[in-house]
Amino acid sequence: MQDFRSRRRKHNFSRFFKSLLFPKSGPVSNVMVISKLTTYAFFGIIALIVVIVGLFIWYGKDLPTPGKLVNNNLSESTRIYDRKGILLYSVYKNENRVYVSLNDIPKTLQKATIDIEDRNFYTNQGFSLKGYLRAFIGIITLRGISGGSTLTQQLVRNVILQDLAQTPSRKIKELILAIQVDKRYSKDQILEMYLNDVGYGGSNTGVEAASEAYFGKHVKEIDLAQSAFLAGLPQGPSLYYPYNGHKYYIARTQEVLSAMVDVGDITQKQADSANKEVAGFTFGNEQDTSIKAPHFVMYVKELLAQKFGDQAVENGGLQVTTTLDYDIQKQAEQIVKEEIDKVSKPDHVTNGASIVRDAKTGEIISMVGSKDYFDTTIDGNFNDALALRQPGSSLKPVMYATAFEKGYTPATEVMDVKTDFPTGDPTTPTFTPANYNGKFNGPVQLRFAL
């Protein structure tokens, strides 16, 4: 009985659909309806093709050439290193970037990027039909244009179409250029350009700048967990930025590692180990990662600008190895801070400086210009180590030697009192020196004064 009812329902549905397609009975009527539907479909397809071709011609007439990818004159940051290769500072105007070849980028990072962004990268023609279908569905469901871009399309968008808003017309331009780029360059060339041009959070552009900023090492030195972390950033550089107060990058990195497992590039055991490492990532203070030995690097930057010009320093990609030893620099910074803290309250001393030099070569090993470069209350960014100041105690050996030549002895008594010296300047007619503690001691023998 149940089977009979089921067959009857199927028969009723069949008759219903036939009545929609063939409203008139008879074989001649049915043939005429099918013929009309075929004709409408044929002309509809022709019209769609004409519209698509027309849009491609219209939007393609003023497009820049794909050769701009190579001839884009991308600015590169100037890097200042210590004598052991530790990065002290990246000098840049808008973007922190250093171009590296694909051979210097770990295979793990290359595979992670492809697995999470464009699994068919090496087989597609620069675009993805599935991706465009998702974008079309996004439009008709009013969710906006999103997703579906291949690595080639992202490269085109970052370099050539970066000033255009996200609109259907830009998607068409992006598609046209992506096809041209795919035909003009090899897949490895496209991947190399992508990894050097995509944003990785903050001002970091390209994998080398990102690796140095987040891990303090060249990209060729990073491991699987660090590679997966970097590969996950381009989808949402601001969202996954490790200094934004959240740790969304952990889930995103896990997503990257899962994609690598699905493709077969790594095992689940490797992914689990990398996930544990990512969960324990420590990036330090963002301010600390941006500049080390600040007074020294600003001194070096000024020297470079005098020699090569500001434009070359900000965009020329100079790679500068200095004489500074950052390990000694850190010790010197700590010593200056501790010594200032000791005398700050009793003697009102708020700042100090230190320079360590190699006695044989004169090389600067360490330069500390203040107690804290970032403390505005003491004008911390002012470099006291290089400041033009009164010679002060450096004149004492000359003065005492002259006094002893003229008959003074260590027992000679002099008066330590407030004394005004005329300057000859009408705006400040007198100069009144004072002891560092602000006190005067009255009669003092030379031996005690010295």
Side-chain angles (χ1 to χ4, degrees):
M1 188 69 177
Q2 186 69 26
D3 292 340
F4 172 76
R5 289 176 180 173
S6 176
R7 286 196 299 270
R8 186 174 182 179
R9 281 197 297 270
K10 289 180 181 178
H11 178 68
N12 291 337
F13 279 127
S14 176
R15 283 197 306 173
F16 172 71
F17 284 116
K18 284 183 179 179
S19 67
L20 288 177
L21 292 173
F22 311 113
K24 296 180 180 181
S25 61
V28 176
S29 300
N30 292 347
V31 170
M32 291 177 62
V33 171
I34 293 174
S35 178
K36 287 182 179 180
L37 289 176
T38 304
T39 302
Y40 293 152
F42 174 75
F43 283 109
I45 292 172
I46 294 297
L48 180 63
I49 293 173
V50 171
V51 170
I52 292 174
V53 171
L55 288 174
F56 269 65
I57 294 174
W58 175 259
Y59 287 116
K61 58 186 177 65
D62 297 323
L63 283 178
T65 64
K68 185 181 177 182
L69 288 171
V70 174
N71 301 319
N72 195 40
N73 294 323
L74 299 175
S75 63
E76 290 192 47
S77 307
T78 288
R79 296 288 206 270
I80 300 176
Y81 299 91
D82 87 332
R83 67 198 304 132
K84 299 176 182 177
I86 296 175
L87 178 64
L88 301 176
Y89 188 51
S90 294
V91 185
Y92 54 89
K93 188 172 184 179
N94 297 314
E95 296 177 312
N96 182 20
R97 181 208 310 268
V98 170
Y99 199 97
V100 290
S101 70
L102 194 63
N103 292 333
D104 289 328
I105 300 174
K107 288 292 184 181
T108 52
L109 177 51
Q110 296 180 37
K111 292 178 180 178
T113 299
I114 292 172
D115 292 347
I116 194 64
E117 293 288 344
D118 185 6
R119 293 188 183 184
N120 299 317
F121 171 68
Y122 279 103
T123 58
N124 64 39
Q125 304 301 310
F127 66 96
S128 167
L129 289 176
K130 290 183 179 180
Y132 271 93
L133 180 60
R134 287 196 299 270
F136 177 72
I137 294 174
I139 294 174
I140 62 177
T141 57
L142 303 179
R143 291 183 302 189
I145 305 171
S146 62
S149 294
T150 62
L151 289 181
T152 309
Q153 289 172 290
Q154 293 179 48
L155 175 63
V156 167
R157 183 168 63 243
N158 287 337
V159 178
I160 303 178
L161 302 178
Q162 54 187 324
D163 297 328
L164 298 182
Q166 185 165 284
T167 61
S169 64
R170 195 196 73 174
K171 277 289 183 183
I172 295 174
K173 294 178 180 180
E174 185 181 292
L175 172 60
I176 297 171
L177 284 170
I179 295 172
Q180 294 177 352
V181 168
D182 189 76
K183 292 183 180 299
R184 184 163 186 169
Y185 301 103
S186 71
K187 289 294 186 179
D188 283 351
Q189 286 177 312
I190 294 172
L191 180 60
E192 179 179 305
M193 289 186 285
Y194 174 88
L195 292 170
N196 279 285
D197 189 71
V198 73
Y200 285 88
S203 58
N204 302 306
T205 300
V207 291
E208 176 71 3
S211 178
E212 289 180 338
Y214 299 132
F215 307 119
K217 60 176 70 173
H218 295 294
V219 68
K220 62 183 178 182
E221 301 170 340
I222 65 175
D223 59 20
L224 171 61
Q226 294 163 339
S227 294
F229 165 79
L230 291 181
L233 288 176
Q235 187 192 68
S238 298
L239 178 64
Y240 304 124
Y241 191 51
Y243 300 112
N244 65 4
H246 306 286
K247 290 190 175 183
Y248 299 140
Y249 65 84
I250 295 179
R252 176 59 177 167
T253 306
Q254 291 172 347
E255 186 179 351
V256 174
L257 291 167
S258 295
M260 297 183 75
V261 173
D262 291 342
V263 173
D265 284 332
I266 62 173
T267 64
Q268 186 60 53
K269 184 178 180 180
Q270 289 175 304
D272 293 340
S273 176
N275 278 322
K276 291 180 181 179
E277 182 181 339
V278 173
F281 273 168
T282 55
F283 297 97
N285 185 282
E286 183 178 14
Q287 181 175 268
D288 295 338
T289 62
S290 64
I291 183 170
K292 299 179 176 69
H295 291 101
F296 177 74
V297 296
M298 291 305 168
Y299 164 67
V300 172
K301 181 184 174 184
E302 289 180 10
L303 295 180
L304 293 172
Q306 293 172 14
K307 188 173 182 64
F308 302 107
D310 290 327
Q311 184 67 19
V313 174
E314 292 182 345
N315 300 313
L318 305 178
Q319 304 299 299
V320 184
T321 299
T322 67
T323 60
L324 186 124
D325 186 319
Y326 187 58
D327 291 330
I328 296 177
Q329 172 72 19
K330 290 187 290 185
Q331 295 180 49
E333 290 175 355
Q334 183 63 29
I335 291 170
V336 168
K337 182 181 184 303
E338 291 175 352
E339 294 302 315
I340 297 303
D341 289 342
K342 288 178 183 178
V343 296
S344 60
K345 290 185 178 180
D347 297 319
H348 308 290
V349 177
T350 59
N351 218 343
S354 166
I355 289 184
V356 179
R357 302 182 69 175
D358 187 315
K360 295 180 180 179
T361 64
E363 295 175 349
I364 297 176
I365 307 299
S366 166
M367 177 185 289
V368 182
S370 71
K371 175 185 175 183
D372 184 354
Y373 180 87
F374 302 101
D375 188 347
T376 57
T377 62
I378 60 171
D379 293 325
N381 61 353
F382 183 77
N383 193 343
D384 284 316
L386 300 178
L388 298 177
R389 295 186 175 278
Q390 295 290 340
S393 295
S394 63
L395 282 180
K396 286 181 181 177
V398 178
M399 295 172 63
Y400 277 87
T402 304
F404 294 149
E405 284 182 349
K406 294 183 178 296
Y408 286 77
T409 70
T412 302
E413 191 173 77
V414 294
M415 298 299 294
D416 177 19
V417 295
K418 181 180 178 180
T419 307
D420 297 327
F421 293 92
T423 63
D425 184 350
T427 59
T428 53
T430 61
F431 167 66
T432 306
N435 295 312
Y436 76 92
N437 60 6
K439 301 176 181 179
F440 295 100
N441 301 297
V444 181
Q445 289 182 342
L446 285 184
R447 60 165 54 91
F448 297 114
L450 179 60

